Amino acid sequence: MTVYLSSPDIAVPADRDVPSQASGPAADPAIGYAEALHHIEGVPLPDAAGNSCAGIPAFQGSVAELTAGLLAGAAAGHPAPAYLCWAHETSAPHPATLPAMQMAQALRLKAGLPFGVGQQGSLATVSAAELLVAFLGAEGKRYALLVAADCVKPPFGRRFHRAYPKGDAAACWVLSAEPPGDYRWAGTRYALCRPLAQPPFKWERWHFETAERQVTEAALRLAAGLRDGDVRRSWLVAQQVSAAFLQEIRNTVRQDGRIRLFERAAWSQANLLCADPLVSLRGLEESGELKRGDRVCLLFAGLDYGAAAIDLQYLKESGW
C-alpha cells in the first residue's frame, strides 16, 4: 500500500525570552512525573540556573488548546480522519486530561480514534507515523492526522549540559491512503542506543558526552543509508541536537556529493524536540530547492534513545 503525506503546518511562537521565574510550585521529582506536570500545566520554564533562555520559543497554555487551530487548518478540505495521534517528548499531562482526546473534541471528531505516543524522546514522531501508516493499511481507512507537539515542563528544564536549549513547537501531517500528496512514504529506519545506567537528570558531564557520541554514531549510520538505491538526489534534514552533533553530520555530508544537508535559519540553535525535523522540512520546502523525485530523510535523534529516520520521496513539481 502507498501512503501519501501532506506538508506539515507549523506553529512556533515568535522569538521571546522565557520568563525567568515560573509561576506555580517548583517541580519535585519525588511527586511523580504526571502529577508534577499536572500542577504546572502550561507554564514555560527557565533553565536549571534560573536564567531565561533568550530566543527560544515557548508556549503558554495547554498543548491541546494551542494545537486546535493548527489541526483545524490541516484537516480542512479532507474527510474526517480515522485516527488522530499526538506524538510528544516532554509534554505529558495528568492521565485524566489526555491532549489527544481534547484535540479530537476541538475538531468534533466523533468517529475517529485519538491516542498518544510518548516515552521515546523525539523518536515518538517516527513511531507515531509508522503506527498510522500500519493502521491505514490494515483497516482500509483513508485519512489519519499526526500532530507532533512539545511544551517543556518539569521535571525537565530547557538547558541540558552543552546540548541546544529545548524550545516549544508543533507540526501536523495529514496521512492519506490515496493521492494526491506532497510526499510518498518510503519507510522508517532505526539506530537505537544502549541506555546509560544513570537516568538523564543524574548525568554528569561525561555521561552527557558519552550519550552525545552514541547518538551521533547512530545518526551517521542512518545517514549512510541515503547512498543506497537509484535516487537522483537526497536531502538530509537532521534534528538540532547540539553543535557537536551537527558538525559531525556536516562532515559526513561533505564527503558525499549525492547527499545535501538542509539546516533551517530560524531557531538554528534550538532543539524543537518532536517537531524539530518537521519545522526544518517546512524551511526546505520554502527554499525552493526541493525538486520532484528528491528523496528526503527526516533524522530524529534523542540523547537517551538514539536516532530514527522517516524516508520520503517528494512528489511536487517544485518547491513552495
Side-chain angles (χ1 to χ4, degrees):
M1 179 185 140
T2 301
V3 173
Y4 302 88
L5 298 94
S6 71
S7 299
D9 288 322
I10 303 296
V12 185
D15 285 355
R16 66 171 184 272
D17 288 356
V18 178
S20 59
Q21 185 64 41
S23 59
D28 181 358
I31 294 177
Y33 182 75
E35 191 66 22
L37 296 178
H38 173 63
H39 285 308
I40 330 177
E41 176 72 28
V43 178
L45 298 174
D47 62 21
N51 303 314
S52 63
C53 300
I56 304 303
F59 284 152
Q60 298 191 45
S62 73
V63 171
E65 293 170 352
L66 289 163
T67 55
L70 171 70
L71 290 171
H78 295 280
Y83 311 100
L84 168 61
C85 181
W86 171 53
H88 63 92
E89 178 174 337
T90 63
S91 178
H94 191 276
T97 55
L98 297 176
M101 297 184 65
Q102 295 175 335
M103 295 173 192
Q105 291 173 355
L107 286 176
R108 298 181 179 178
L109 299 179
K110 297 181 179 179
L113 172 66
F115 66 99
V117 174
Q119 304 301 319
Q120 302 174 45
S122 293
L123 276 57
T125 302
V126 183
S127 296
E130 197 170 34
L131 281 171
L132 291 175
V133 169
F135 288 170
L136 290 176
E139 300 191 10
K141 305 296 184 180
R142 295 176 61 193
Y143 293 101
L145 209 54
L146 167 62
V147 56
D150 267 313
C151 183
V152 177
K153 302 176 186 296
F156 303 100
R158 294 196 179 274
R159 293 194 181 275
F160 186 66
H161 294 277
R162 66 181 185 188
Y164 284 146
K166 299 174 182 179
D168 302 341
C172 184
W173 258 351
V174 176
L175 287 78
S176 173
E178 57 188 30
D182 296 333
Y183 299 89
R184 180 182 290 113
W185 173 268
T188 57
R189 294 175 292 132
Y190 293 85
L192 304 181
C193 293
R194 178 178 298 177
L196 301 181
Q198 293 288 345
F201 65 87
K202 291 185 177 180
W203 282 1
E204 298 179 10
R205 179 176 177 177
W206 74 269
H207 290 107
F208 171 83
E209 292 175 347
T210 299
E212 185 181 44
R213 184 167 58 253
Q214 282 191 155
V215 75
T216 300
E217 292 171 354
L220 293 177
R221 291 198 297 273
L222 293 180
L226 287 174
R227 303 187 186 98
D228 301 334
D230 183 18
V231 179
R232 181 172 63 87
R233 184 175 60 169
S234 295
W235 288 95
L236 181 63
V237 180
Q239 183 141 1
Q240 304 282 128
V241 177
S242 69
F245 174 86
L246 286 176
Q247 188 57 50
E248 289 293 330
I249 298 292
R250 292 188 197 105
N251 292 341
T252 298
V253 169
R254 289 194 190 103
Q255 300 172 18
D256 192 323
R258 296 180 62 192
I259 305 174
R260 300 184 65 184
L261 175 66
F262 179 81
E263 298 184 62
R264 64 174 183 265
W267 304 288
S268 60
Q269 296 186 4
N271 184 353
L272 302 182
L273 305 174
C274 275
D276 189 276
L278 301 185
V279 175
S280 296
L281 179 61
R282 171 50 61 85
L284 175 57
E285 292 173 345
E286 293 174 342
S287 73
E289 296 188 70
L290 191 58
K291 306 301 180 184
R292 182 178 178 85
D294 284 358
R295 181 176 176 181
V296 181
C297 173
L298 301 182
L299 182 58
F300 293 77
L303 288 167
D304 48 346
Y305 290 96
I310 296 177
D311 291 325
L312 307 169
Q313 187 173 30
Y314 193 56
L315 298 181
K316 301 181 75 173
E317 292 296 337
S318 61
W320 284 29

